Amino acid sequence: MTSRRDFIKKSAFASAFVVTGLPKFGKSAQLPSTSGTTKPIVISTWKHGIPANDAAWKILSSGGRALDAVEQGVMVPEADPNNTSVGLGGNPDRDGHVTLDASIMDEKGNAGSVAFLEHILHPISVARMVMEKTPHVMLVGEGAYQFAIDNGFKRSDQGMTPEVKANWEKWKAENKYNPKIDKNNHDTIGMVALDNAGDVSGACTTSGLGMKMHGRVGDSPIIGAGMFADNDVGAACATGVGEAVIKICGSHLIVELMRNGKTPQQACEEAVKRIAKKVSNYKDIQVGFLALNKAGDVGAYSIVKGFNYAVACNGQNRLFDSDYLVKE
Ligand code: ASP
């Protein structure tokens, strides 16, 4: 189990965390986890994790289920038209289509996902419906869209915001239509939670890499890559260049490392090092992992500087800077 000292050191808490308000629930300043179990707890990627955790916390703090918490949590950035990396406000692919990927897992090991889905505000809820109402795990593209419409989701024709459109036009002019992957065009929300009953669940939703090739699917909807939850162990999620995450089955790898005795922090570090070993251009890309075990211990690690994550527990919701591999 990660000691409090380790957690603070590894998350650079002492020097780098940013308190972004939210004394809406409770007063304790405790962080996960010293001994015993910190629950409930919810963690999520990037700054948009703060309002997402807020929504999740409402459910967790009233004794609700982690599955409901992660779904409601990630719906917040999905619904934000100004979020350019999640939901319909996201950056388009190089042909100008906003295509969405999402996945969800519950405490029983059930899983659902959608990929390459257009015109639907809440892909995470379609993923949950795939999990709960079909014998399948994943629906994509037109089939996923039709399934959503048939099950009461409304088509949205929210187009690109003027800013996103201008960004896309500029990108096309400068990049001559070549898809490019770099450190800067990503920001998926991945969220994992442990509820009062001691159950874990996870969710992940994204518009994917900005200016991707039409038809490209990233790690976020791939169970075991962008997110994985196992109620015997804990859960993990990823953000960053999905191709690198898929190649190492990142989230599944982290859960298996935890199953074999690693702390969440050690497991995230080993997964990033695995990418460094297997992906030749790893220094040019970003990947960030988050993990949570059944004791409520948290881990976070990324390839390069800049990844941050939100942790809500013990009455506080805070943003932390992740430690990272490439220090030069
Ligand atoms: N992981 C996402 C993808 O590859 C990108 C992101 O994190 O924004 O589609």
Side-chain angles (χ1 to χ4, degrees), residues 85 101 185-188 206 208-209 216 218-220 239-243:
S85 53
D101 298 339
N185 57 357
H186 51 75
D187 269 0
T188 293
T206 189
L209 290 179
R216 180 265 188 191
D219 59 314
S220 309
T239 181
V241 174
E243 283 72 7

PDB file of all heavy atoms in Angstrom, residues 85 101 185-188 206 208-209 216 218-220 239-243, ligand 1:
ATOM      1  N   SER A  85     -11.855  18.369 -26.191  1.00  0.00           N
ATOM      2  CA  SER A  85     -11.288  17.020 -26.256  1.00  0.00           C
ATOM      3  C   SER A  85     -12.257  15.938 -25.794  1.00  0.00           C
ATOM      4  O   SER A  85     -11.926  14.752 -25.849  1.00  0.00           O
ATOM      5  CB  SER A  85     -10.007  16.956 -25.420  1.00  0.00           C
ATOM      6  OG  SER A  85     -10.272  17.425 -24.121  1.00  0.00           O
ATOM      7  N   ASP A 101     -15.623   8.403 -28.765  1.00  0.00           N
ATOM      8  CA  ASP A 101     -15.323   7.068 -28.228  1.00  0.00           C
ATOM      9  C   ASP A 101     -15.593   7.079 -26.720  1.00  0.00           C
ATOM     10  O   ASP A 101     -15.243   8.051 -26.041  1.00  0.00           O
ATOM     11  CB  ASP A 101     -13.832   6.735 -28.392  1.00  0.00           C
ATOM     12  CG  ASP A 101     -13.358   6.690 -29.840  1.00  0.00           C
ATOM     13  OD1 ASP A 101     -14.189   6.525 -30.745  1.00  0.00           O
ATOM     14  OD2 ASP A 101     -12.126   6.803 -30.044  1.00  0.00           O
ATOM     15  N   ASN A 185      -2.440  17.455 -28.545  1.00  0.00           N
ATOM     16  CA  ASN A 185      -3.828  17.465 -29.011  1.00  0.00           C
ATOM     17  C   ASN A 185      -4.687  16.370 -28.372  1.00  0.00           C
ATOM     18  O   ASN A 185      -5.372  15.633 -29.055  1.00  0.00           O
ATOM     19  CB  ASN A 185      -3.888  17.381 -30.546  1.00  0.00           C
ATOM     20  CG  ASN A 185      -3.170  16.156 -31.073  1.00  0.00           C
ATOM     21  OD1 ASN A 185      -2.588  15.414 -30.296  1.00  0.00           O
ATOM     22  ND2 ASN A 185      -3.235  15.926 -32.365  1.00  0.00           N
ATOM     23  N   HIS A 186      -4.619  16.263 -27.081  1.00  0.00           N
ATOM     24  CA  HIS A 186      -5.430  15.269 -26.386  1.00  0.00           C
ATOM     25  C   HIS A 186      -5.818  15.780 -25.009  1.00  0.00           C
ATOM     26  O   HIS A 186      -5.239  16.744 -24.515  1.00  0.00           O
ATOM     27  CB  HIS A 186      -4.654  13.971 -26.240  1.00  0.00           C
ATOM     28  CG  HIS A 186      -3.307  14.194 -25.654  1.00  0.00           C
ATOM     29  ND1 HIS A 186      -3.118  14.466 -24.340  1.00  0.00           N
ATOM     30  CD2 HIS A 186      -2.099  14.263 -26.244  1.00  0.00           C
ATOM     31  CE1 HIS A 186      -1.829  14.662 -24.137  1.00  0.00           C
ATOM     32  NE2 HIS A 186      -1.194  14.562 -25.275  1.00  0.00           N
ATOM     33  N   ASP A 187      -6.766  15.138 -24.398  1.00  0.00           N
ATOM     34  CA  ASP A 187      -7.252  15.462 -23.041  1.00  0.00           C
ATOM     35  C   ASP A 187      -8.513  14.673 -22.695  1.00  0.00           C
ATOM     36  O   ASP A 187      -9.480  15.226 -22.173  1.00  0.00           O
ATOM     37  CB  ASP A 187      -7.573  16.960 -22.889  1.00  0.00           C
ATOM     38  CG  ASP A 187      -6.389  17.773 -22.394  1.00  0.00           C
ATOM     39  OD1 ASP A 187      -5.319  17.182 -22.167  1.00  0.00           O
ATOM     40  OD2 ASP A 187      -6.539  18.992 -22.237  1.00  0.00           O
ATOM     41  N   THR A 188      -8.520  13.407 -22.972  1.00  0.00           N
ATOM     42  CA  THR A 188      -9.639  12.531 -22.600  1.00  0.00           C
ATOM     43  C   THR A 188      -9.983  12.658 -21.125  1.00  0.00           C
ATOM     44  O   THR A 188      -9.088  12.868 -20.303  1.00  0.00           O
ATOM     45  CB  THR A 188      -9.197  11.069 -22.844  1.00  0.00           C
ATOM     46  OG1 THR A 188      -9.043  10.887 -24.228  1.00  0.00           O
ATOM     47  CG2 THR A 188     -10.161  10.049 -22.293  1.00  0.00           C
ATOM     48  N   THR A 206     -14.169  10.494 -24.870  1.00  0.00           N
ATOM     49  CA  THR A 206     -13.263  11.387 -25.589  1.00  0.00           C
ATOM     50  C   THR A 206     -13.749  11.663 -26.998  1.00  0.00           C
ATOM     51  O   THR A 206     -14.510  10.860 -27.562  1.00  0.00           O
ATOM     52  CB  THR A 206     -11.861  10.741 -25.669  1.00  0.00           C
ATOM     53  OG1 THR A 206     -10.926  11.687 -26.174  1.00  0.00           O
ATOM     54  CG2 THR A 206     -11.854   9.517 -26.571  1.00  0.00           C
ATOM     55  N   GLY A 208     -11.263  11.993 -28.934  1.00  0.00           N
ATOM     56  CA  GLY A 208     -10.050  11.392 -29.514  1.00  0.00           C
ATOM     57  C   GLY A 208      -9.033  12.431 -29.933  1.00  0.00           C
ATOM     58  O   GLY A 208      -9.189  13.624 -29.674  1.00  0.00           O
ATOM     59  N   LEU A 209      -7.999  11.974 -30.540  1.00  0.00           N
ATOM     60  CA  LEU A 209      -6.962  12.900 -30.984  1.00  0.00           C
ATOM     61  C   LEU A 209      -7.539  13.879 -31.997  1.00  0.00           C
ATOM     62  O   LEU A 209      -8.197  13.459 -32.954  1.00  0.00           O
ATOM     63  CB  LEU A 209      -5.818  12.139 -31.650  1.00  0.00           C
ATOM     64  CG  LEU A 209      -4.942  11.274 -30.755  1.00  0.00           C
ATOM     65  CD1 LEU A 209      -3.877  10.591 -31.591  1.00  0.00           C
ATOM     66  CD2 LEU A 209      -4.286  12.112 -29.663  1.00  0.00           C
ATOM     67  N   ARG A 216     -10.441   6.672 -37.435  1.00  0.00           N
ATOM     68  CA  ARG A 216      -9.484   6.285 -36.394  1.00  0.00           C
ATOM     69  C   ARG A 216     -10.205   6.145 -35.034  1.00  0.00           C
ATOM     70  O   ARG A 216     -11.018   6.968 -34.655  1.00  0.00           O
ATOM     71  CB  ARG A 216      -8.391   7.354 -36.293  1.00  0.00           C
ATOM     72  CG  ARG A 216      -7.306   7.069 -35.240  1.00  0.00           C
ATOM     73  CD  ARG A 216      -7.618   7.753 -33.921  1.00  0.00           C
ATOM     74  NE  ARG A 216      -6.502   7.650 -32.969  1.00  0.00           N
ATOM     75  CZ  ARG A 216      -6.608   7.986 -31.691  1.00  0.00           C
ATOM     76  NH1 ARG A 216      -7.742   8.445 -31.211  1.00  0.00           N
ATOM     77  NH2 ARG A 216      -5.573   7.872 -30.889  1.00  0.00           N
ATOM     78  N   GLY A 218      -9.278   5.406 -30.910  1.00  0.00           N
ATOM     79  CA  GLY A 218      -8.165   5.397 -29.961  1.00  0.00           C
ATOM     80  C   GLY A 218      -8.325   4.331 -28.889  1.00  0.00           C
ATOM     81  O   GLY A 218      -9.056   3.347 -29.049  1.00  0.00           O
ATOM     82  N   ASP A 219      -7.646   4.549 -27.788  1.00  0.00           N
ATOM     83  CA  ASP A 219      -7.663   3.576 -26.688  1.00  0.00           C
ATOM     84  C   ASP A 219      -8.915   3.666 -25.819  1.00  0.00           C
ATOM     85  O   ASP A 219      -9.306   2.678 -25.186  1.00  0.00           O
ATOM     86  CB  ASP A 219      -6.441   3.808 -25.779  1.00  0.00           C
ATOM     87  CG  ASP A 219      -6.432   5.225 -25.198  1.00  0.00           C
ATOM     88  OD1 ASP A 219      -6.656   6.191 -25.970  1.00  0.00           O
ATOM     89  OD2 ASP A 219      -6.226   5.377 -23.984  1.00  0.00           O
ATOM     90  N   SER A 220      -9.541   4.838 -25.797  1.00  0.00           N
ATOM     91  CA  SER A 220     -10.584   5.089 -24.784  1.00  0.00           C
ATOM     92  C   SER A 220     -11.739   4.085 -24.798  1.00  0.00           C
ATOM     93  O   SER A 220     -12.231   3.713 -23.733  1.00  0.00           O
ATOM     94  CB  SER A 220     -11.116   6.522 -24.931  1.00  0.00           C
ATOM     95  OG  SER A 220     -10.044   7.416 -24.945  1.00  0.00           O
ATOM     96  N   THR A 239      -4.968   8.499 -20.584  1.00  0.00           N
ATOM     97  CA  THR A 239      -5.154   9.610 -21.504  1.00  0.00           C
ATOM     98  C   THR A 239      -3.868   9.780 -22.294  1.00  0.00           C
ATOM     99  O   THR A 239      -2.818   9.299 -21.890  1.00  0.00           O
ATOM    100  CB  THR A 239      -5.510  10.910 -20.751  1.00  0.00           C
ATOM    101  OG1 THR A 239      -5.698  11.963 -21.702  1.00  0.00           O
ATOM    102  CG2 THR A 239      -4.417  11.314 -19.769  1.00  0.00           C
ATOM    103  N   GLY A 240      -3.969  10.467 -23.423  1.00  0.00           N
ATOM    104  CA  GLY A 240      -2.781  10.657 -24.240  1.00  0.00           C
ATOM    105  C   GLY A 240      -2.902   9.910 -25.553  1.00  0.00           C
ATOM    106  O   GLY A 240      -4.006   9.582 -25.986  1.00  0.00           O
ATOM    107  N   VAL A 241      -1.774   9.653 -26.153  1.00  0.00           N
ATOM    108  CA  VAL A 241      -1.775   9.051 -27.493  1.00  0.00           C
ATOM    109  C   VAL A 241      -2.238   7.594 -27.407  1.00  0.00           C
ATOM    110  O   VAL A 241      -1.515   6.707 -26.939  1.00  0.00           O
ATOM    111  CB  VAL A 241      -0.387   9.178 -28.136  1.00  0.00           C
ATOM    112  CG1 VAL A 241      -0.331   8.426 -29.462  1.00  0.00           C
ATOM    113  CG2 VAL A 241      -0.065  10.652 -28.353  1.00  0.00           C
ATOM    114  N   GLY A 242      -3.453   7.366 -27.877  1.00  0.00           N
ATOM    115  CA  GLY A 242      -4.100   6.071 -27.706  1.00  0.00           C
ATOM    116  C   GLY A 242      -3.359   4.923 -28.350  1.00  0.00           C
ATOM    117  O   GLY A 242      -3.402   3.786 -27.853  1.00  0.00           O
ATOM    118  N   GLU A 243      -2.678   5.195 -29.437  1.00  0.00           N
ATOM    119  CA  GLU A 243      -1.960   4.121 -30.133  1.00  0.00           C
ATOM    120  C   GLU A 243      -0.937   3.469 -29.190  1.00  0.00           C
ATOM    121  O   GLU A 243      -0.794   2.246 -29.169  1.00  0.00           O
ATOM    122  CB  GLU A 243      -1.264   4.679 -31.387  1.00  0.00           C
ATOM    123  CG  GLU A 243      -2.194   4.932 -32.572  1.00  0.00           C
ATOM    124  CD  GLU A 243      -3.136   6.134 -32.397  1.00  0.00           C
ATOM    125  OE1 GLU A 243      -3.011   6.886 -31.403  1.00  0.00           O
ATOM    126  OE2 GLU A 243      -4.021   6.303 -33.265  1.00  0.00           O
TER     127      GLU A 243
HETATM  128  N1  ASP B   1      -6.497   8.783 -25.579  1.00  0.00           N
HETATM  129  C1  ASP B   1      -7.246   9.552 -26.557  1.00  0.00           C
HETATM  130  C2  ASP B   1      -7.145   8.913 -27.897  1.00  0.00           C
HETATM  131  O1  ASP B   1      -6.083   8.429 -28.247  1.00  0.00           O
HETATM  132  C3  ASP B   1      -6.763  10.939 -26.678  1.00  0.00           C
HETATM  133  C4  ASP B   1      -6.870  11.754 -25.442  1.00  0.00           C
HETATM  134  O2  ASP B   1      -6.402  11.380 -24.379  1.00  0.00           O
HETATM  135  O3  ASP B   1      -7.439  12.847 -25.554  1.00  0.00           O
HETATM  136  O4  ASP B   1      -8.106   8.968 -28.630  1.00  0.00           O
END
